[in-house]
Amino acid sequence: MQAELNLETPSVGCEIIPIVSLHSKEGNKVIPDDKLKFNWYRLQNQERPICCVHPTQIATFQCRDCSVLEKHVKESFHCSLKCYHDQWLNHRKRHIAAPSQTTADVVDDESYCDCSYCSAFDKDSLVNKNAEIVHGSWVKVGSSKTYLPTIKDFGYRLKLEAVATFFSEGKPRVQTEVKTNHVIIPPPRRCMIPVTPLDGFSNFKLESKICSARSFSVLSYNILADLCANPSRYSYCPASALNWEYRSQNLLREIIRYDADVICLQEVQHDHFEEFFMPKLKEIGYSGIHKSKTSALFTSKYVFEGCATFFRLSKFRLIKKYELEFKNTAQKIAWSLDAEKRRSMMKDNIALTVILEAIKAEPVSDTLNHRICVANVHVSADPENTDVKLWQVGTLIEDLERSVAHSNIPVLICADLNSIPKSAAHTLVVNGSVDLKHEELVNTPDGIIEHLKLSHKLLPLASAYSSFSRTKEGDMMDSDTKEPRFTTATLYFRNTIDYIFYSEGLLTVISLLELLDEESAIKHTAFPSPLWSSDHIALMAEFSWKSPS
């Protein structure tokens, strides 16, 4: 007999319906379900190790040598790779002192660096981020073909066992089993909310129907890179929900559920783009490109993160792409600044811009330009350098002006501006200009003043979510700024820093992804949480090209 079984990553409240095929050896016939017995099990840990440094945190990482040698001493368990790294010198002494050590001889290698920064990572054999560090037993939780995971299953793996209930020619009965990934809690569903035009056009539904052939949707989402998901920073989030294995599945499900035509993600690690997001999204009809920041951070290896833009191949084709490295541009003016401001200007932030052309399924009678210019940008996060944020935004706009010069291409900017509404950077985009008397610029050093872009020609640009001020979603909007009350919510900061800007004269907002209320933000203290796997929320807007007047 042979067995085939296919299971996706399970989630709480979503019934698992496996594809099970047991084939008899004689004639390769499929054994019917009524001749099979099904059992579901949960890997119930007998004991969850606790971090030896942070006793309130569950351990998610163990020294590989200790695991291989089955030396499960409490000092070998840590809540994160960083925690292990910080304590490596102390833990290393245990390996050196252990007379029966057989696999950790590398720690006595004279060429092995003694500094705590290098010791844990110079030898691949020392660490294994994906190794299971908890031991337990499989507890039976179900006996039918399908299974509905509950909150008790959250964070645990499940196993399905399928057993043939008859014997063939005196041979032992045949069974097969498969283990799932860890059970996740999917984010609550967010719906697209229609937006009424400013002119209150009475035949809006008809107009929307006419424009549907040339409508498209754009998603913008800072997904929180794994290298930035520091347990000490997000101590309120359970370690199991902060783990990338868990977050990646949750994020992917959320992104796929939105079904956007264009997806702009910020804080995407290059390895995660290549090994996870690109293959998974390619399977469902997307193509994508990634632009890394110019500097890497060191964890167990050098890791680059940046912006990734995906587009549906049945909807768009890529015409051009532009990559903007603010650091390179800043070199031209850095010489005129003092040392402190020079360091601030040399941030490694980037922007990725694409020009996409809509693929028409059928002829369109008008002469509209069916191209869009989409910029994906992540601006410097330093709260003390608002002038640098303004300079980066101005530099991007200047780059966009060149990209769409003498054309009728609408511009969209999907941005984590790290700037709140009415900041200098935000004001420049939506007002088309910013005054030097703006409160964020009054103390700007003379060396940078002359290099700031204080106006632009991409008028009029508007924030897509400002349209919500005219709908029932207005309660979740700030009446003063006409922006959402928040797009990020951590323990110490809750405000709006994420935006989708668009060419108001060339595009019409049809609908917007509903916002979250404050109750959702604080249900699990803050973001990220078991429900929401980033410290930001996703924004999404559906647009249509405007008909010529």
Side-chain angles (χ1 to χ4, degrees), residues 88-254:
W88 167 246
L89 283 184
N90 291 331
H91 186 67
R92 180 175 182 263
K93 295 175 183 177
R94 298 183 64 90
H95 287 275
I96 297 174
S100 60
Q101 190 72 21
T102 57
T103 65
D105 294 336
V106 289
V107 299
D108 283 323
D109 189 336
E110 292 182 358
S111 65
Y112 203 3
C113 178
D114 279 335
C115 71
S116 62
Y117 187 76
C118 301
S119 298
F121 309 114
D122 278 357
K123 303 292 184 181
D124 291 338
S125 62
L126 282 179
V127 294
N128 183 359
K129 288 184 68 175
N130 297 319
E132 288 190 21
I133 62 170
V134 291
H135 303 275
S137 58
W138 292 99
V139 178
K140 188 174 179 180
V141 293
S143 56
S144 61
K145 181 179 179 180
T146 62
Y147 182 71
L148 183 67
T150 68
I151 193 64
K152 293 181 179 179
D153 301 312
F154 165 60
Y156 295 107
R157 299 181 68 184
L158 301 174
K159 178 175 70 173
L160 173 63
E161 180 185 76
V163 183
T165 58
F166 64 90
F167 295 85
S168 175
E169 299 179 359
K171 296 180 180 179
R173 63 180 181 177
V174 173
Q175 68 181 56
T176 186
E177 63 180 42
V178 66
K179 299 174 184 177
T180 73
N181 291 325
H182 296 81
V183 177
I184 66 175
I185 303 178
R189 187 173 296 276
R190 296 168 62 192
C191 300
M192 295 296 286
I193 308 296
V195 175
T196 305
L198 278 172
D199 58 8
F201 183 57
S202 59
N203 204 20
F204 176 62
K205 291 184 179 180
L206 176 61
E207 179 70 11
S208 297
K209 185 176 180 180
I210 294 173
C211 295
S212 62
R214 56 180 186 267
S215 67
F216 62 93
S217 53
V218 178
L219 174 75
S220 183
Y221 198 3
N222 182 322
I223 62 170
L224 179 60
D226 185 37
L227 59 87
C228 300
N230 191 322
S232 62
R233 181 181 181 184
Y234 304 109
S235 57
Y236 50 84
C237 182
S240 57
L242 199 58
N243 181 278
W244 176 248
E245 182 184 41
Y246 174 87
R247 291 201 306 116
S248 63
Q249 297 297 329
N250 236 16
L251 289 166
L252 181 65
R253 284 197 172 194
E254 186 183 2

Side-chain angles (χ1 to χ4, degrees), residues 316 319 355-358 368-373 408-410 545:
F316 290 104
I319 302 300
I355 293 181
L356 303 174
E357 183 174 65
L368 289 175
N369 187 334
H370 289 276
R371 289 187 178 185
I372 54 173
C373 177
N408 201 33
I409 300 177
W545 281 272

